[in-house]
Amino acid sequence: MALSAARFHWQAVPFSHLAECTTAAVAIGSNLGDRGGHVVAALVALASLPRTDLIARSRVVETEALVLPGQPRGGAYLNAAAIVRTRLSARELLGQFQAIERGRGRDRASEPGRWLPRTLDLDLLLYGDGVINEPGLIVPHPRMHERRFVLGPLAEVAADWRIPGLNRTAADLLADLGGQA
């Protein structure tokens, strides 16, 4: 039996659809301006990223701002976590996060230091089971295991995710800090 091209429907599949997805965890925080509006806008933007699906989000919780001695306290933060599945590289994902931050009024170039009040902060906490240490990109986030305001929301949506390099779950690390999701 001869095969006829008319019997088959050929459709080009974009290369990006053949690539494997990576699951990534994102911390979301805001303590300036319309905090709730910034967090909601961040979630909408995450859901709209190219080659990325928003698959889970935590509740939004209010937490006290961390400050270094001599810095202004600033208002309380609204914090959340989100889980995405993406075909973007970790570097591309970080670039998208920074674009979302800029769109909400954050200017990293004008920030004189860490732990200052900000309209929106999106941190790439985890990228699959990867460990990345490049200029401007460290994954897992180097201080996430010390921060209840990060681990609480993360444990709510990914309690059993083993943190590379620590070999402990988000829930275990949160329990070490005396918290629960």
Side-chain angles (χ1 to χ4, degrees):
M1 174 176 162
L3 295 179
S4 164
R7 293 185 56 195
F8 296 95
H9 174 70
W10 293 95
Q11 180 178 352
V13 176
F15 181 76
S16 63
H17 289 150
L18 301 176
E20 207 169 299
C21 287
T22 300
T23 302
V26 187
I28 304 166
S30 175
N31 77 332
L32 279 180
D34 179 8
R35 300 174 308 154
H38 294 309
V39 171
V40 168
L43 289 165
V44 169
L46 290 171
S48 302
L49 289 178
R51 301 185 326 246
T52 302
D53 294 313
L54 176 64
I55 60 171
R57 67 171 183 80
S58 71
R59 292 173 293 130
V60 177
V61 296
E62 188 170 44
T63 61
E64 188 175 318
L66 289 180
V67 294
L68 294 173
Q71 285 184 332
R73 174 146 302 276
Y77 266 86
L78 292 183
N79 293 104
I83 306 298
V84 298
R85 292 204 27 93
T86 187
R87 289 181 178 88
L88 298 175
S89 70
R91 178 68 65 187
E92 290 170 321
L93 199 55
L94 178 64
Q96 293 287 330
F97 293 172
Q98 290 173 346
I100 294 167
E101 290 174 342
R102 283 190 303 275
R104 298 307 291 181
R106 182 170 181 188
D107 179 10
R108 286 178 176 265
S110 69
E111 293 176 359
R114 266 199 259 165
W115 300 351
L116 296 173
R118 52 192 55 145
T119 55
L120 184 62
D121 187 25
L122 298 176
D123 287 328
L124 180 56
L125 300 175
L126 299 163
Y127 187 79
D129 60 359
V131 175
I132 304 167
N133 191 351
E134 300 173 359
L137 178 59
I138 300 174
V139 177
H141 189 284
R143 291 170 299 283
M144 67 182 281
H145 65 283
E146 302 168 352
R147 297 177 174 174
R148 188 175 296 120
F149 65 88
V150 170
L151 291 171
L154 179 61
E156 185 179 320
V157 292
D160 295 329
W161 194 330
R162 281 206 177 274
I163 311 306
L166 298 175
N167 201 28
R168 309 273 318 279
T169 67
D172 291 340
L173 293 170
L174 178 61
D176 289 350
L177 296 177
Q180 59 184 8

